[in-house]
Coordinates of all heavy atoms in Angstrom, one line a residue:
G1 N 105.3 58.2 41.4 CA 106.7 58.6 41.5 C 107.4 58.1 42.8 O 106.7 57.6 43.7
P2 N 108.7 58.2 42.8 CA 109.5 57.6 43.9 C 109.4 58.2 45.3 O 109.8 57.7 46.3 CB 110.9 57.6 43.4 CG 110.9 58.8 42.5 CD 109.6 58.8 41.9
S3 N 108.8 59.4 45.3 CA 108.8 60.2 46.6 C 107.4 60.1 47.3 O 107.2 60.8 48.3 CB 109.1 61.7 46.4 OG 108.1 62.2 45.5
A4 N 106.5 59.2 46.8 CA 105.2 59.1 47.4 C 105.2 58.5 48.8 O 106.0 57.7 49.2 CB 104.3 58.1 46.5
A5 N 104.3 59.1 49.6 CA 104.1 58.6 51.0 C 103.5 57.1 50.9 O 103.1 56.7 49.9 CB 103.2 59.5 51.7
L6 N 103.6 56.5 52.1 CA 103.0 55.1 52.2 C 101.5 55.1 52.5 O 100.8 54.3 52.0 CB 103.8 54.3 53.3 CG 105.2 54.1 53.1 CD1 105.8 53.4 54.3 CD2 105.4 53.2 51.8
M7 N 101.1 56.1 53.3 CA 99.7 56.1 53.8 C 99.5 57.4 54.6 O 100.4 58.2 54.8 CB 99.5 54.9 54.8 CG 100.3 55.1 56.1 SD 100.2 53.7 57.2 CE 101.3 52.5 56.3
Y8 N 98.2 57.6 54.9 CA 97.9 58.6 55.9 C 97.9 58.0 57.3 O 97.3 56.9 57.5 CB 96.5 59.2 55.6 CG 96.4 60.0 54.3 CD1 95.7 59.5 53.3 CD2 97.0 61.3 54.2 CE1 95.6 60.2 52.1 CE2 96.9 62.0 53.1 CZ 96.2 61.4 52.0 OH 96.1 62.2 50.8
W9 N 98.6 58.6 58.2 CA 98.7 58.1 59.6 C 97.4 58.0 60.3 O 96.6 58.9 60.4 CB 99.7 59.0 60.4 CG 99.9 58.5 61.8 CD1 99.5 59.0 62.9 CD2 100.7 57.4 62.1 NE1 100.0 58.3 64.0 CE2 100.7 57.3 63.5 CE3 101.4 56.4 61.4 CZ2 101.4 56.3 64.2 CZ3 102.1 55.4 62.0 CH2 102.1 55.3 63.4
N10 N 97.0 56.8 60.7 CA 95.8 56.5 61.4 C 94.5 56.9 60.7 O 93.5 57.3 61.3 CB 95.8 57.2 62.8 CG 96.7 56.5 63.8 OD1 97.1 55.3 63.6 ND2 97.2 57.2 64.8
N11 N 94.6 56.8 59.3 CA 93.4 57.1 58.5 C 93.3 56.1 57.4 O 93.6 56.4 56.3 CB 93.5 58.6 58.0 CG 92.1 59.1 57.5 OD1 91.3 58.3 57.1 ND2 92.0 60.4 57.5
R12 N 92.8 54.9 57.8 CA 92.7 53.9 56.8 C 91.8 54.2 55.6 O 92.1 53.9 54.5 CB 92.3 52.6 57.5 CG 92.1 51.4 56.6 CD 91.8 50.1 57.4 NE 91.4 49.0 56.5 CZ 92.2 48.2 55.9 NH1 93.5 48.4 56.0 NH2 91.8 47.2 55.1
D13 N 90.6 54.8 55.9 CA 89.6 55.1 54.9 C 90.2 56.0 53.8 O 90.1 55.8 52.6 CB 88.4 55.7 55.5 CG 87.6 54.7 56.3 OD1 87.8 53.5 56.1 OD2 86.7 55.1 57.1
K14 N 90.9 57.1 54.2 CA 91.4 58.1 53.3 C 92.6 57.4 52.5 O 92.8 57.7 51.3 CB 91.8 59.3 54.0 CG 92.2 60.4 53.0 CD 92.5 61.8 53.7 CE 92.8 62.8 52.6 NZ 93.1 64.2 53.2
T15 N 93.4 56.6 53.2 CA 94.5 55.9 52.6 C 94.0 55.1 51.4 O 94.5 55.1 50.3 CB 95.2 55.0 53.6 OG1 95.8 55.9 54.6 CG2 96.3 54.2 52.9
R16 N 92.9 54.3 51.6 CA 92.3 53.4 50.6 C 91.7 54.2 49.4 O 91.7 53.7 48.3 CB 91.3 52.5 51.2 CG 91.9 51.5 52.2 CD 90.9 50.6 52.8 NE 90.3 49.7 51.9 CZ 89.4 48.8 52.1 NH1 88.9 48.7 53.3 NH2 89.0 47.9 51.2
Q17 N 91.3 55.4 49.7 CA 90.7 56.3 48.7 C 91.8 56.9 47.8 O 91.6 57.1 46.6 CB 89.9 57.4 49.3 CG 88.6 56.9 50.0 CD 87.9 58.0 50.8 OE1 88.3 59.2 50.6 NE2 87.0 57.7 51.6
C18 N 92.9 57.2 48.3 CA 93.9 58.0 47.6 C 95.2 57.2 47.2 O 95.7 57.5 46.1 CB 94.4 59.2 48.5 SG 93.0 60.3 48.9
F19 N 95.6 56.3 48.0 CA 96.8 55.5 47.6 C 96.3 54.2 46.9 O 95.9 53.3 47.6 CB 97.6 55.2 48.9 CG 98.3 56.4 49.4 CD1 97.7 57.2 50.4 CD2 99.5 56.9 48.9 CE1 98.3 58.3 50.9 CE2 100.1 58.0 49.4 CZ 99.5 58.7 50.5
L20 N 96.4 54.2 45.6 CA 95.9 53.1 44.8 C 97.0 52.4 44.1 O 97.4 52.7 43.0 CB 94.9 53.7 43.8 CG 93.8 54.5 44.4 CD1 92.9 55.2 43.3 CD2 92.9 53.7 45.3
G21 N 97.6 51.4 44.8 CA 98.8 50.7 44.2 C 100.0 51.7 44.1 O 100.3 52.4 45.1
D22 N 100.6 51.8 42.9 CA 101.7 52.7 42.7 C 101.2 54.2 42.5 O 102.0 55.1 42.4 CB 102.5 52.3 41.5 CG 103.3 51.0 41.8 OD1 103.6 50.7 42.9 OD2 103.6 50.3 40.8
W23 N 99.9 54.3 42.4 CA 99.3 55.6 42.0 C 98.7 56.4 43.2 O 98.1 55.7 44.1 CB 98.3 55.5 40.9 CG 98.9 55.0 39.6 CD1 99.0 53.7 39.2 CD2 99.4 55.9 38.5 NE1 99.6 53.7 37.9 CE2 99.8 55.0 37.5 CE3 99.5 57.2 38.4 CZ2 100.4 55.5 36.3 CZ3 100.0 57.7 37.2 CH2 100.5 56.9 36.2
L24 N 98.8 57.7 43.2 CA 98.2 58.5 44.1 C 97.1 59.4 43.4 O 97.4 60.0 42.4 CB 99.2 59.5 44.8 CG 98.6 60.6 45.7 CD1 98.1 60.0 47.0 CD2 99.6 61.7 45.9
K25 N 95.9 59.3 44.0 CA 94.8 60.2 43.5 C 94.9 61.5 44.2 O 94.7 61.6 45.4 CB 93.4 59.6 43.7 CG 92.3 60.4 43.1 CD 91.0 59.7 43.3 CE 89.8 60.5 42.7 NZ 88.5 59.8 42.9
S26 N 95.2 62.6 43.5 CA 95.6 63.9 44.1 C 94.4 64.7 44.7 O 94.5 65.5 45.6 CB 96.3 64.7 43.1 OG 95.5 65.2 42.1
G27 N 93.2 64.4 44.1 CA 92.0 65.3 44.4 C 91.9 66.5 43.6 O 91.1 67.4 43.8
D28 N 92.9 66.7 42.6 CA 92.8 67.9 41.7 C 92.3 67.5 40.4 O 92.4 66.4 39.9 CB 94.3 68.4 41.5 CG 94.9 68.9 42.8 OD1 94.4 69.9 43.4 OD2 95.8 68.3 43.3
K29 N 91.6 68.5 39.7 CA 91.1 68.3 38.4 C 92.1 69.0 37.4 O 92.5 70.2 37.7 CB 89.7 68.9 38.2 CG 88.7 68.2 39.0 CD 88.2 66.9 38.3 CE 86.9 66.3 39.0 NZ 86.4 65.1 38.4
Y30 N 92.4 68.4 36.3 CA 93.3 69.0 35.3 C 92.9 68.7 33.9 O 92.0 67.8 33.7 CB 94.7 68.4 35.5 CG 95.6 69.3 36.3 CD1 95.6 69.3 37.7 CD2 96.5 70.2 35.7 CE1 96.4 70.1 38.5 CE2 97.3 71.1 36.5 CZ 97.3 71.0 37.9 OH 98.0 71.8 38.6
V31 N 93.4 69.5 33.0 CA 93.2 69.2 31.6 C 94.6 69.3 30.9 O 95.4 70.1 31.3 CB 92.2 70.2 30.9 CG1 92.7 71.6 31.0 CG2 91.9 69.8 29.5
C32 N 94.8 68.5 29.9 CA 96.1 68.5 29.2 C 95.9 68.9 27.7 O 95.0 68.4 27.0 CB 96.8 67.1 29.3 SG 98.4 67.0 28.6
D33 N 96.7 69.9 27.3 CA 96.6 70.3 25.9 C 97.4 69.5 24.9 O 98.2 68.6 25.4 CB 97.0 71.8 25.8 CG 98.4 72.1 26.0 OD1 99.3 71.2 25.9 OD2 98.8 73.3 26.3
P34 N 97.3 69.7 23.6 CA 98.0 68.8 22.7 C 99.5 68.9 22.8 O 100.2 67.9 22.3 CB 97.6 69.4 21.3 CG 96.2 70.0 21.6 CD 96.3 70.5 22.9
D35 N 100.1 69.9 23.4 CA 101.5 70.0 23.6 C 102.0 69.4 24.9 O 103.2 69.5 25.2 CB 101.9 71.5 23.5 CG 101.7 72.1 22.1 OD1 101.8 71.4 21.1 OD2 101.3 73.3 22.1
G36 N 101.1 68.8 25.6 CA 101.5 68.2 26.9 C 101.6 69.1 28.1 O 102.1 68.7 29.1
Y37 N 101.0 70.3 28.0 CA 101.0 71.2 29.1 C 99.7 71.0 29.9 O 98.6 70.9 29.3 CB 101.1 72.7 28.7 CG 102.5 73.1 28.3 CD1 103.0 72.8 27.0 CD2 103.3 73.8 29.2 CE1 104.2 73.2 26.6 CE2 104.5 74.2 28.8 CZ 105.0 73.9 27.5 OH 106.3 74.3 27.2
Y38 N 99.8 70.9 31.2 CA 98.7 70.6 32.1 C 98.2 71.9 32.7 O 99.0 72.8 33.1 CB 99.1 69.7 33.2 CG 99.2 68.2 32.8 CD1 100.4 67.8 32.1 CD2 98.2 67.3 33.0 CE1 100.5 66.5 31.6 CE2 98.4 66.0 32.6 CZ 99.5 65.6 31.9 OH 99.6 64.3 31.4
T39 N 96.9 72.1 32.7 CA 96.2 73.3 33.2 C 95.3 72.9 34.3 O 94.4 72.0 34.2 CB 95.5 74.1 32.1 OG1 96.4 74.5 31.1 CG2 94.8 75.3 32.7
Y40 N 95.4 73.6 35.5 CA 94.6 73.3 36.6 C 93.2 73.7 36.4 O 92.9 74.8 35.9 CB 95.2 74.1 37.8 CG 94.5 73.9 39.2 CD1 94.5 72.6 39.8 CD2 94.0 74.9 39.8 CE1 94.0 72.4 41.0 CE2 93.4 74.8 41.1 CZ 93.4 73.5 41.7 OH 92.8 73.3 42.9
A41 N 92.2 72.8 36.8 CA 90.8 73.1 36.7 C 90.1 73.3 38.1 O 89.0 73.7 38.1 CB 90.1 72.0 35.9
G42 N 90.8 72.9 39.2 CA 90.2 73.1 40.5 C 90.3 71.8 41.3 O 90.7 70.7 40.7
R43 N 90.0 71.9 42.6 CA 89.9 70.7 43.4 C 88.7 69.9 43.0 O 87.7 70.5 42.6 CB 89.9 71.1 44.9 CG 91.2 71.7 45.4 CD 92.3 70.6 45.5 NE 92.0 69.6 46.5 CZ 92.7 68.5 46.7 NH1 93.8 68.3 46.0 NH2 92.4 67.6 47.6
S44 N 88.7 68.6 43.2 CA 87.5 67.8 42.8 C 86.3 68.3 43.6 O 85.2 68.3 43.0 CB 87.8 66.3 43.1 OG 88.9 65.9 42.3
D45 N 86.5 68.6 44.8 CA 85.3 69.0 45.6 C 84.9 70.5 45.5 O 84.0 71.0 46.1 CB 85.5 68.7 47.1 CG 86.8 69.2 47.7 OD1 87.5 69.9 46.9 OD2 87.1 69.0 48.8
D46 N 85.7 71.2 44.6 CA 85.4 72.6 44.4 C 84.7 72.8 43.0 O 84.2 73.9 42.7 CB 86.7 73.5 44.3 CG 87.2 73.7 45.7 OD1 86.4 73.7 46.7 OD2 88.4 74.0 45.9

């Protein structure tokens, strides 16, 4: 989306893990139902 940050300040490693081209990897787990509603499943590390 248009409001994404450019990077993490002074954190190249985390920037490369999360900012992937136009996409941001959020670190959240989700599931989507047939009607297009998203349900939170937890943080990836949780």
Side-chain angles (χ1 to χ4, degrees):
S3 61
L6 296 175
M7 66 184 78
Y8 292 108
W9 183 250
N10 285 338
N11 196 335
R12 178 174 170 81
D13 289 342
K14 190 173 182 182
T15 296
R16 296 180 68 180
Q17 292 169 13
C18 299
F19 291 93
L20 307 173
D22 291 334
W23 292 89
L24 171 74
K25 184 178 182 181
S26 71
D28 297 293
K29 295 279 191 180
Y30 263 84
V31 62
C32 185
D33 68 20
D35 295 325
Y37 283 81
Y38 286 76
T39 299
Y40 183 63
R43 293 289 296 174
S44 300
D45 51 4
D46 284 335

